[in-house]
Amino acid sequence: MYKLLKNLFLFFCVVVFFGGCRKEAFDAYYGRPDNLQPPIYQVLSIKGNFTSLLAIIDKSGYKSTLSAAGYWTFFAPNDEAFKKYFTENNTSLAAIDSTTARKLVTYCLVFNAFQTNHIADYQAPTGWVANNAYKRRTAYYDGFYTDNGPDGPATVLLSANRNANTFVFGDNNNKYIPYFYSSYMSSKNLGAADYNYFFPNTPYTGFNVVDASVVNKDLIAENGVIHEIDRVIQPLPSIEQKLAGNTQYSEFKKLFDRFMVSYILNNDAASRYNILTGKTSKVYIKQYAALLAFALGNENYVKAQDNDGQSEGYSMLAPNNEAFTKYLNEVILEFYGTVDKLPSSIVADLLNAHLFSTTLWPTKFSTTNNFLGEPGRISASNNVTDRQFCSNGIFYGTNAVQQANVFSTVYGRAYLDPNYSLMSRVLSNMKATITNPGLQFTIFMVPDVTLRSLGYDYSTATSQYTYTLNGTTTSGNGPRDNLQRIINLHVISTPNKELNNLNSQGIIEAYGSEYIKWNNNTVFAGGNLESTNASYKAIPVVNSRDYSNGRVYYLPAGAMLYPTGTVASQIAVNATTPTSPYYSFYQYLINSTAYNTVAGEIAGFISGANYTVFIPTNAAILQAVRDGILPGTITNNALTTASFNPASVDDRAKVARFIQFHILNGISIAADGQKSPNGAGFPTFLTNSVGDKLELIINNQPNNLKVTDNQGRVATVVNGSASNYLGTRTLLHQIDNYLRYNF
């Protein structure tokens, strides 16, 4: 028995010995390395100057998190920072409750570990983008809160975590913390002025976090990185929270609440709220309309990429009540009268003028565009009275309104007056052009009552333009295009303010490449000349108003109309008798193969194309007969008779070529010195034997338009009623010589 016990003892010793050896080998291979730093909580303990922070961490419930495995960046306030905090807030360590402690800890706790070698770099899906980040997502989020909503002031809400009426359940809408690192600031041409604009009492050191300075960086821990800071940082408000927190912006905020906010019930959120609180309240998502640049409470930026909030944020200019109310009443509501009547598009433009989908740095106001594509037009030094770096961007409280082009340019006159709703709707098609403050325009205002009297309207039920004639209404592209053409006649580019004086007379090209004329404070287009209504022959201009990029005139008694007749019929107007200025040319035309007898139009003319027709005087036509260019007879070397309807094929072809060589194809040129002032060639309707269009050289000086044919002969436009005549997308000019071609 003794021998058995002895053997068992020896066997046990051997097992223990070899087992211990294996454990030592296992620990040596898999055990915690001796040179590995302890976790964040323990590193803070070892440092010895974070006693207040450690107590706060204990209260927050985050001791185990910061003592365990993980991958964090912690901006850690030292004891001196907490001394300042306690003094400035008249509190003490003992007075801080767990909720406050959790805020202080989690807002300084950033997901992922970032040393200074990457703190300024953006984490793109493809890798690091150097010096392109100034924020990081924190462990802090607001979550559920109560505010005014469908269920009254105690409505349970969640802020939208995406833009454009979108919410993603499970995304906590974590707040971001901004920091200001030297390499990022330098790469964006930013500096101390940009930082101290928000934090004037904190020196810019090249590594600041909110209003704190980093005094000891890159402290490595097992579960992340610590950057020691000299101030305690509290969670920053979102732009939405900042706007709501100050009543001096309440009038501005009202427009968001009234027109751009919706409350959407969310059952998933309600279930989560019930689990957390035991309450069965309804939960609504506070969302913002897709018309708006961004949802004010969205902490995630665009979320086109998971981390895009690191590199960008939103910005808001919020005018105070005095400035905003004055602008609202004097500009926006001048014709609408009350806010209730405002279309949502006007409200959206007004609000979006103050919203930037990017970071608006104080030194970059004039070079950073808002959501409407316009730079900041207020002064960062003179107009900003309140400034706040927020968790999702920057908030500027201002004593001025950001002037939007849609309101301050000529476009704004129709846009802001419900009496011009049809014109405004059509003008929106050229909005980008006529709202450009760098261009000058003149617009003749046509009220809805006039356009409706012409048969035009718009159906909101079908979203289509309509045209009514003799009790029959049509809709679709035809009425839309015709109304667009009418409105085009009333929009004129006037870079030299050519129409600021309508006392004289003249001609000018309108937006759609058709021409209008003015004469002694009246205006008209080709369609007015065709009208059988005497009162429509010339439309009186009544009053004017200047805007930032031009002038508007009022036409209360009519509108300019486009012509609908054929160009041939318009030539005929001045060809009724043998002494009429276009008579001989017209007679040759209608008897030639250059005339389409079925259409009653010049052969080859295309609807919608532009032309210029040079019509020689009757005397010049006879000279062409004498020169053998046109068919006719000459008696005793003196009496010349034109043969308007020659019998021979050759003579008929000769007439057709003559007509075609007097027509510019694809362009209307007025004798106003605008097009081709220095001389240029333009194709005619005449094609040579190899298929090339022959050209005429146009040299266009004001009231002195000269045409040179391809034999070097010159004809001059005869100023008077027979020139600059308004045809259908065509100008007719009398010339004092005929044009001769080499064929």
Side-chain angles (χ1 to χ4, degrees):
M1 183 69 182
Y2 171 78
K3 184 176 181 181
L4 177 62
L5 291 173
K6 181 179 179 182
N7 289 337
L8 287 172
F9 176 76
L10 291 173
F11 175 77
F12 175 77
C13 290
V14 170
V15 169
V16 170
F17 174 78
F18 284 102
C21 292
R22 284 197 298 271
K23 183 178 184 304
E24 289 177 5
F26 181 91
D27 288 343
Y29 189 80
Y30 292 105
R32 188 176 188 278
D34 293 337
N35 61 348
L36 180 65
Q37 297 296 324
I40 290 173
Y41 187 90
Q42 283 71 25
V43 169
L44 295 173
S45 298
I46 294 169
K47 289 295 181 182
N49 62 333
F50 294 99
T51 54
S52 294
L53 176 59
L54 290 167
I56 295 294
I57 293 172
D58 292 344
K59 287 188 177 187
S60 73
Y62 266 72
K63 177 179 180 179
S64 59
T65 299
L66 295 177
S67 299
Y71 199 49
W72 304 97
T73 298
F74 194 33
F75 295 111
N78 56 30
D79 286 337
E80 287 300 315
F82 271 99
K83 286 182 181 178
K84 298 175 190 174
Y85 175 78
F86 297 146
T87 300
E88 291 169 356
N89 292 278
N90 192 28
T91 188
S92 64
L93 181 60
I96 293 178
D97 59 19
S98 61
T99 300
T100 302
R102 183 179 290 264
K103 288 181 179 180
L104 296 178
V105 171
T106 55
Y107 190 61
C108 287
L109 187 61
V110 167
F111 291 104
N112 297 330
F114 300 102
Q115 298 181 53
T116 50
N117 61 336
H118 281 306
I119 194 72
D121 300 339
Y122 166 52
Q123 283 180 295
T126 54
W128 295 108
V129 180
N131 301 321
N132 209 38
Y134 73 96
K135 295 187 298 171
R136 286 293 192 266
R137 186 186 295 119
T138 72
Y140 178 76
Y141 57 89
D142 288 315
F144 299 101
Y145 66 101
T146 58
D147 200 354
N148 290 316
D151 295 337
T155 300
V156 181
L157 301 171
L158 279 175
S159 290
N161 53 30
R162 297 291 190 277
N163 298 329
N165 277 332
T166 304
F167 177 79
V168 177
F169 182 74
D171 183 326
N172 291 325
N173 211 22
N174 293 66
K175 284 183 178 289
Y176 278 72
I177 188 169
Y179 50 84
F180 308 85
Y181 194 72
S182 57
S183 61
Y184 171 84
M185 300 288 277
S186 296
S187 71
K188 304 300 180 185
N189 295 316
L190 304 170
D194 293 279
Y195 176 77
N196 290 127
Y197 188 84
F198 300 99
F199 310 109
N201 298 321
T202 302
Y204 173 64
T205 63
F207 192 7
N208 296 84
V209 184
V210 192
D211 61 344
S213 298
V214 175
V215 295
N216 199 0
K217 61 187 179 182
D218 294 337
L219 302 175
I220 306 303
E222 178 184 352
N223 56 351
V225 179
I226 302 167
H227 299 294
E228 180 183 347
I229 57 178
D230 63 358
R231 291 191 69 86
V232 174
I233 299 172
Q234 301 182 71
L236 295 176
S238 66
I239 291 174
E240 180 181 62
Q241 292 166 331
K242 174 62 178 178
L243 179 65
N246 195 322
T247 57
Q248 68 174 313
Y249 312 115
S250 60
E251 295 302 316
F252 186 58
K253 181 179 179 294
K254 282 179 184 177
L255 283 192
F256 287 97
D257 295 341
R258 186 167 193 164
F259 290 93
M260 297 295 152
V261 170
S262 59
Y263 298 93
I264 309 300
L265 275 172
N266 189 292
N267 293 330
D268 291 330
S271 297
R272 178 64 177 164
Y273 184 72
N274 175 254
I275 292 171
L276 293 175
T277 67
K279 298 177 181 179
T280 57
S281 302
K282 296 176 183 177
V283 175
Y284 298 83
I285 310 303
K286 184 180 181 181
Q287 298 184 164
Y288 288 83
L291 288 172
L292 209 60
F294 57 87
L296 306 190
N298 174 23
E299 303 279 4
N300 282 304
Y301 194 56
V302 179
K303 207 68 171 179
Q305 298 176 347
D306 185 55
N307 294 314
D308 58 13
Q310 293 179 352
S311 63
E312 267 296 1
Y314 296 118
S315 303
M316 171 187 279
L317 303 174
N320 62 31
N321 291 340
E322 180 181 359
F324 187 69
T325 300
K326 184 175 187 293
Y327 183 79
L328 192 66
N329 290 333
E330 294 181 357
V331 178
I332 305 301
L333 298 178
E334 180 182 1
F335 303 105
Y336 273 97
T338 64
V339 170
D340 296 341
K341 297 179 181 179
L342 285 177
S344 58
S345 61
I346 289 179
V347 176
D349 283 337
L350 176 59
L351 297 178
N352 283 330
H354 297 82
L355 302 181
F356 295 71
S357 296
T358 188
T359 308
L360 178 62
W361 296 97
T363 59
K364 307 289 185 181
F365 268 43
S366 62
T367 57
T368 305
N369 286 348
N370 63 14
F371 188 69
L372 302 181
E374 302 165 14
R377 294 192 170 111
I378 67 172
S379 168
S381 56
N382 298 325
N383 299 126
V384 175
T385 57
D386 183 12
R387 60 208 67 171
Q388 169 80 62
F389 230 100
C390 296
S391 54
N392 62 343
I394 298 178
F395 177 94
Y396 295 98
T398 68
N399 60 16
V401 170
Q402 166 82 1
Q403 300 282 339
N405 292 341
V406 290
F407 306 135
S408 61
T409 61
V410 289
Y411 177 81
R413 180 59 188 87
Y415 190 39
L416 292 172
D417 191 338
N419 294 314
Y420 294 87
S421 64
L422 285 172
M423 187 173 192
S424 174
R425 190 178 295 277
V426 177
L427 287 176
S428 66
N429 296 325
M430 55 187 90
K431 179 179 177 180
T433 301
I434 62 176
T435 58
N436 186 335
L439 303 175
Q440 284 285 313
F441 293 92
T442 297
I443 294 184
F444 295 93
M445 304 297 298
V446 185
D448 290 346
V449 63
T450 296
L451 295 175
R452 290 185 177 123
S453 72
L454 296 172
Y456 293 97
D457 211 335
Y458 182 82
S459 170
T460 55
T462 63
S463 299
Q464 289 188 324
Y465 292 95
T466 62
Y467 178 69
T468 302
L469 179 65
N470 298 326
T472 301
T473 299
T474 58
S475 61
N477 294 343
R480 179 200 65 193
D481 295 344
N482 292 340
L483 183 56
Q484 178 76 63
R485 189 173 171 187
I486 289 174
I487 297 303
N488 285 349
L489 290 169
H490 296 79
V491 180
I492 319 293
S493 174
T494 49
N496 298 310
K497 302 181 180 180
E498 292 89 340
L499 296 180
N500 275 16
N501 182 356
L502 299 178
N503 293 326
S504 58
Q505 62 180 0
I507 185 172
I508 196 165
E509 187 174 19
Y511 189 82
S513 297
E514 296 187 78
Y515 282 79
I516 68 163
K517 285 186 172 183
W518 75 93
N519 183 16
N520 192 26
N521 289 307
T522 64
V523 291
F524 57 93
N528 300 92
L529 298 179
E530 291 181 342
S531 176
T532 58
N533 186 338
S535 65
Y536 255 70
K537 293 293 186 180
I539 309 302
V541 176
V542 179
N543 297 329
S544 66
R545 185 168 181 172
D546 290 329
Y547 286 82
S548 64
N549 70 338
R551 174 173 290 184
V552 300
Y553 288 103
Y554 301 96
L555 305 181
M560 288 182 279
L561 305 176
Y562 60 84
T564 58
T566 64
V567 174
S569 69
Q570 290 151 357
I571 294 174
V573 171
N574 286 313
T576 56
T577 69
T579 58
S580 298
Y582 298 166
Y583 180 81
S584 295
F585 184 85
Y586 179 67
Q587 294 301 318
Y588 272 117
L589 169 66
I590 60 176
N591 289 289
S592 76
T593 57
Y595 181 70
N596 184 329
T597 57
V598 175
E601 181 60 292
I602 298 172
F605 270 29
I606 300 172
S607 176
N610 291 86
Y611 304 100
T612 306
V613 182
F614 296 108
I615 302 175
T617 63
N618 294 328
I621 292 285
L622 290 179
Q623 186 60 49
V625 173
R626 295 188 194 101
D627 294 342
I629 303 302
L630 288 173
T633 59
I634 304 172
T635 304
N636 297 326
N637 296 320
L639 181 62
T640 305
T641 304
S643 297
F644 296 128
N645 190 13
S648 76
V649 173
D650 286 345
D651 280 347
R652 293 174 70 82
K654 187 184 295 185
V655 172
R657 290 195 296 269
F658 182 90
I659 298 293
Q660 291 167 347
F661 193 57
H662 285 75
I663 302 172
L664 295 184
N665 190 1
I667 188 171
S668 299
I669 298 180
D672 59 358
Q674 295 301 308
K675 295 178 182 176
S676 191
N678 299 314
F682 296 90
T684 69
F685 248 63
L686 182 59
T687 303
N688 63 20
S689 58
V690 296
D692 296 328
K693 289 189 179 297
L694 301 185
E695 289 189 343
L696 294 173
I697 304 300
I698 306 300
N699 194 296
N700 190 4
Q701 300 299 317
N703 298 314
N704 186 19
L705 192 157
K706 295 184 180 299
V707 187
T708 304
D709 62 25
N710 58 19
Q711 293 189 9
R713 300 167 66 257
V714 177
T716 301
V717 168
V718 179
N719 294 321
S721 61
S723 292
N724 287 329
Y725 191 87
L726 303 172
T728 300
R729 299 189 186 277
T730 302
L731 289 178
L732 309 177
H733 298 297
Q734 185 95 82
I735 54 176
D736 64 0
N737 196 1
Y738 73 90
L739 303 172
R740 195 164 183 172
Y741 55 87
N742 287 328
F743 196 67

